[in-house]
Amino acid sequence: EPEVTQTPSHQVTQMGQEVILRCVPISNHLYFYWYRQILGQKVEFLVSFYNNEISEKSEIFDDQFSVERPDGSNFTLKIRSTKLEDSAMYFCASSVAGDTDTQYFGPGTRLTVL
Amino acid sequence: AQSVAQPEDQVNVAEGNPLTVKCTYSVSGNPYLFWYVQYPNRGLQFLLKYITGDNLVKGSYGFEAEFNKSQTSFHLKKPSALVSDSALYFCAVSDGSSNTGKLIFGQGTTLQVKP
């Protein structure tokens, strides 16, 4: 069964550094998402992406965040200058067109900002 | 604003007994409701969803959920729990009028099934 994959599984970085989290969505999916979960808190929506554009973004997704689909398979989340409060588990998800509600999630990348 | 509440941090049941994991929601339009499960070191897996129609929705692994509009609830149920059902369960809602796929999650409920 096809799966969403994410790399790395764990990223440790210094405050102020840029990080790029990578995701490979399921190949025939056209909608892509990023969510995050701070330890002990809810899973929070960050952004949805379709047709090379952001469809919707949350208040969390400020100018420090950006997303990109650099080629036909990868979907990336960049944090330009990390803060301590960016430490969280970041989940990528994807869905087919016409069924955006059934989302398939990757295993997550744990980001630790020191 | 949309929101989801899962009032129990943890639910403990004995194997073979029925289980219920509770969820209530608040949404302005027609709610689309979901249950996802997370096993250790894995991503969230889709279990089932309610969009419209029959209030009782059947999903994967023998789970079902009942949509109750008057109580704004969408409780997850299973007639006979298995030890392998032990995991973290998330209820989620999306706004049916939006096509961006944004999901709002509850805080999660840990289900512990004991042999």
Side-chain angles (χ1 to χ4, degrees), chain A residues 29-114:
Chain A
H29 287 190
L30 298 178
Y31 283 80
F32 314 112
Y33 315 86
W34 284 101
Y35 292 82
R36 80 170 186 191
Q37 184 179 31
I38 295 171
L39 190 62
Q41 298 186 22
K42 295 183 180 187
V43 175
E44 301 172 291
F45 170 82
L46 291 179
V47 66
S48 60
F49 188 86
Y50 170 71
N51 200 26
N52 283 322
E53 289 184 346
I54 290 175
S55 306
E56 185 172 356
K57 60 183 181 179
S58 70
E59 293 172 355
I60 304 166
F61 196 88
D62 61 22
D63 292 343
Q64 293 299 313
F65 291 87
S66 63
V67 288
E68 193 179 24
R69 186 143 163 88
D71 52 42
S73 59
N74 289 283
F75 179 53
T76 61
L77 174 69
K78 182 193 289 187
I79 309 175
R80 259 181 273 283
S81 177
T82 50
K83 307 183 186 74
L84 295 176
E85 54 266 34
D86 293 328
S87 295
M89 181 73 88
Y90 288 80
F91 294 106
C92 173
S94 68
S95 65
V96 297
D99 190 11
T100 56
D101 306 303
T102 305
Q103 296 177 19
Y104 294 80
F105 283 75
T109 293
R110 179 163 297 284
L111 176 64
T112 302
V113 182
L114 303 175

Side-chain angles (χ1 to χ4, degrees), chain B residues 54-114:
Chain B
D54 208 352
N55 289 345
L56 186 65
V57 179
K58 294 191 185 296
S60 307
Y61 312 121
F63 283 94
E64 56 190 29
E66 186 167 12
F67 171 64
N68 187 317
K69 188 173 183 179
S70 62
Q71 296 185 5
T72 61
S73 67
F74 189 59
H75 301 331
L76 181 70
K77 301 182 180 185
K78 187 172 182 181
S80 179
L82 300 172
V83 172
S84 57
D85 292 330
S86 299
L88 183 57
Y89 290 81
F90 290 97
C91 183
V93 65
S94 74
D95 182 350
S97 63
S98 164
N99 65 353
T100 63
K102 173 183 175 182
L103 292 175
I104 304 296
F105 284 90
Q107 67 268 39
T109 299
T110 298
L111 173 65
Q112 190 77 259
V113 181
K114 299 196 173 165

